[in-house]
Amino acid sequence: MEKQTITIYDVAREANVSMATVSRVVNGNPNVKPTTRKKVLEVIDRLDYRPNAVARGLASKKTTTVGVIIPDVSNMFFASLARGIDDIATMYKYNIILANSDGETLKEVNVLNNLLAKQVDGVIFMGHHITDEIRAEFSRSKTPIVLAGSIDPDEQVGSVNIDYTTATKDATDVLAKHGNEKIAFISGPLIDPINGQARMKGYKESLAEHGLSYNEGLVFEAAYNFKEGLALTDRVLNSGATSAFVTDDELAIGLLDGLLDKGVKIPEDFEVITSNDSLLTDVARPRLTSVTQPLYDIGAVAMRLLTKMMNKEDIEQKTIILPHGVDEKGSTK
């Protein structure tokens, strides 16, 4: 026999109260007598009534759902951010729809539009690069949007990050102070503003401060994954570099393994600093020195900023910068 869907009408009839009263109990409205509340809750329990989130959304014009767009769900950087988002969402009673965009412009636009079609109340976007296409979709949509671990150079969209320029300068300073004259800069695509503008600026500032000249032959672009790091090894060694600042942990481990396979001693012959301080940095041997950033907090603060926007609360600042550090482990002297 098919299980019949229990409606708010059934609960009201069974408890002998109005549907408005049932609605007030379900939504935690205090204007219900304790005895009535107890009676309604008992009926809800007995009938196993589950409020229809879709119907509630239609009535309140809110779905209490947030869309989260991630370039790569399997990358630990984004996984840690998503964790922070999810915990705060749960605290504020929002559900999350997670969507993977592979960092491709067309897919990002499609994924965003699919989420907006589902009437989400807000969107958290993580992408390496805010393309003109995605920006056009952002401005067309009336739905609040916050960036997490992504920057909007125009600062039109709210965002939560660390100061990538200072963080990169701090990391490059460590390598320069150890006497490295040739420091490789290994990053994802330089078209991404975090790499091409913020991090590159910090890298150049550090070189200048230590009297080192900037050399394009020491700059390498790659995709954010282990295999790419491995594949870069020969080119990095041939450039004469004795150290590297890397913008992604998986990429850094690929390089580390490539160097070790070639018998290069780390950190005696070559030093590596990475950027995200994910679990991978402690799994690697030697453990990877890294810029530290509060990944979980970036996600959590982004979600909190989004709840404020969704509730039309006053927001002091849309661009939020959280603290960073450099944790020196085994891959530097």
Side-chain angles (χ1 to χ4, degrees):
M1 197 180 107
E2 244 184 90
K3 184 174 177 290
Q4 263 192 305
T5 308
I6 303 294
T7 67
I8 190 166
Y9 176 75
D10 301 318
V11 176
R13 193 185 54 215
E14 201 70 15
N16 202 11
V17 296
S18 70
M19 284 196 277
T21 302
V22 177
S23 175
R24 279 199 284 272
V25 170
V26 168
N27 290 311
N29 187 317
N31 301 335
V32 183
K33 282 198 211 117
T35 48
T36 311
R37 179 185 306 280
K38 190 163 174 280
K39 182 170 70 174
V40 171
L41 287 172
E42 276 165 4
V43 172
I44 285 174
D45 245 10
R46 192 171 81 244
L47 298 181
D48 192 23
Y49 167 64
R50 294 173 194 278
N52 180 335
V54 177
R56 284 169 74 181
L58 290 174
S60 66
K61 294 278 191 291
K62 275 191 181 164
T63 55
T64 57
T65 312
V66 167
V68 178
I69 301 177
I70 290 192
D72 180 1
V73 171
S74 66
N75 188 309
M76 280 200 182
F77 173 74
F78 295 113
S80 305
L81 288 179
R83 198 56 234 246
I85 292 169
D86 191 48
D87 285 357
I88 300 300
T90 306
M91 203 166 102
Y92 284 93
K93 298 195 167 43
Y94 281 93
N95 301 311
I96 276 183
I97 303 177
L98 197 62
N100 203 45
S101 73
D102 299 329
E104 291 168 17
T105 306
L106 191 64
K107 198 168 172 193
E108 282 177 348
V109 170
N110 287 341
V111 165
L112 177 65
N113 284 323
N114 282 340
L115 288 173
L116 296 175
K118 290 189 170 81
Q119 307 289 319
V120 291
D121 295 330
V123 172
I124 292 184
F125 181 85
M126 302 178 215
H128 302 297
H129 177 46
I130 308 301
T131 58
D132 293 343
E133 290 86 346
I134 202 85
R135 189 186 291 285
E137 297 301 319
F138 285 170
S139 50
R140 261 221 322 260
S141 149
K142 301 262 185 292
T143 309
I145 291 166
V146 170
L147 307 177
S150 314
I151 57 177
D152 173 15
D154 301 351
E155 295 199 3
Q156 291 173 358
V157 188
S159 65
V160 184
N161 292 285
I162 59 167
D163 179 340
Y164 296 105
T165 301
T166 310
T168 305
K169 182 184 179 302
D170 293 347
T172 312
D173 283 348
V174 171
L175 298 173
K177 281 176 189 148
H178 291 179
N180 292 290
E181 290 181 2
K182 289 196 164 181
I183 302 167
F185 178 86
I186 301 173
S187 82
L190 291 172
I191 191 170
D192 302 351
I194 289 179
N195 295 324
Q197 293 169 31
R199 283 182 172 137
M200 180 57 87
K201 185 170 175 244
Y203 170 69
K204 286 179 172 172
E205 279 176 10
S206 176
L207 294 180
E209 203 167 285
H210 292 91
L212 303 172
S213 53
Y214 170 73
N215 172 358
E216 233 166 56
L218 292 170
V219 175
F220 301 88
E221 288 183 79
Y224 301 95
N225 65 54
F226 173 80
K227 280 186 182 154
E228 293 258 333
L230 211 49
L232 273 179
T233 311
D234 283 335
R235 285 174 55 205
V236 172
L237 285 174
N238 291 338
S239 73
T242 57
S243 64
F245 168 75
V246 191
T247 69
D248 176 79
D249 295 353
E250 248 190 71
L251 194 53
I253 288 194
L255 176 69
L256 183 71
D257 286 7
L259 292 166
L260 293 170
D261 289 348
K262 294 209 170 337
V264 177
K265 288 194 181 69
I266 313 281
E268 296 82 359
D269 305 338
F270 199 103
E271 297 184 80
V272 180
I273 297 188
T274 183
S275 293
N276 297 335
D277 201 34
S278 67
L279 176 66
L280 290 173
T281 60
D282 288 329
V283 173
R285 285 293 173 273
R287 289 164 69 231
L288 278 165
T289 294
S290 180
V291 168
T292 59
Q293 47 177 318
L295 295 182
Y296 176 91
D297 297 356
I298 290 174
V301 172
M303 183 63 214
R304 181 65 188 106
L305 177 61
L306 190 63
T307 60
K308 286 183 177 176
M309 286 162 76
M310 292 185 297
N311 295 323
K312 300 193 170 35
E313 291 172 41
D314 283 343
I315 292 160
E316 283 138 50
Q317 66 201 98
K318 275 196 345 191
T319 305
I320 298 172
I321 302 293
L322 297 180
H324 70 271
V326 177
D327 187 5
E328 297 190 44
K329 301 178 194 173
S331 64
T332 48
K333 289 172 192 157

